[in-house]
Amino acid sequence: WFPVRYHALIADVLFDVPGVREMLMIMGAKRVNRKSIHRMLEAGHNIAIQPGGIYEQLRTNHKQETAYFPPNLGFIRQAIRAGTPLLPAYLFG
């Protein structure tokens, strides 16, 4: 379909939910882990990773924007090693 191959990498726990797993697989989503990131980058695919999750959602304050950075950002090192450009984005609202 598209000349650019894009995959969303999703938390492993979502692949354990019946029905959700099948939907994610149909959409081309992959489990987010070191092995899958390496495989996708080496194959020249574009990937999207949104660090964070439950921790950030439970600490939402609608009066103040706060950015949380998890302690393990190994995906950044993997992108640099693979020579893949990074496009940081901040979603709010």
Side-chain angles (χ1 to χ4, degrees), residues 22-53:
E22 287 75 15
M23 182 185 68
L24 292 172
M25 292 172 70
I26 288 170
M27 295 181 343
K30 308 288 185 198
R31 293 176 184 264
V32 64
N33 57 46
R34 185 173 290 146
K35 184 178 177 182
S36 63
I37 292 172
H38 177 75
R39 206 175 323 130
M40 294 284 110
L41 292 177
E42 290 297 314
H45 297 262
N46 294 306
I47 58 175
I49 300 174
Q50 179 181 347

Side-chain angles (χ1 to χ4, degrees), residues 33-72:
N33 57 46
R34 185 173 290 146
K35 184 178 177 182
S36 63
I37 292 172
H38 177 75
R39 206 175 323 130
M40 294 284 110
L41 292 177
E42 290 297 314
H45 297 262
N46 294 306
I47 58 175
I49 300 174
Q50 179 181 347
I54 300 294
Y55 179 86
E56 291 79 5
Q57 291 173 15
L58 293 175
R59 284 154 184 80
T60 299
N61 179 350
H62 297 287
K63 295 180 182 179
Q64 178 182 0
E65 293 289 334
T66 304
Y68 295 95
F69 293 94
N72 183 2

Side-chain angles (χ1 to χ4, degrees), residues 13-28:
V13 68
L14 293 176
F15 283 90
D16 296 334
V17 179
V20 174
R21 172 183 48 240
E22 287 75 15
M23 182 185 68
L24 292 172
M25 292 172 70
I26 288 170
M27 295 181 343

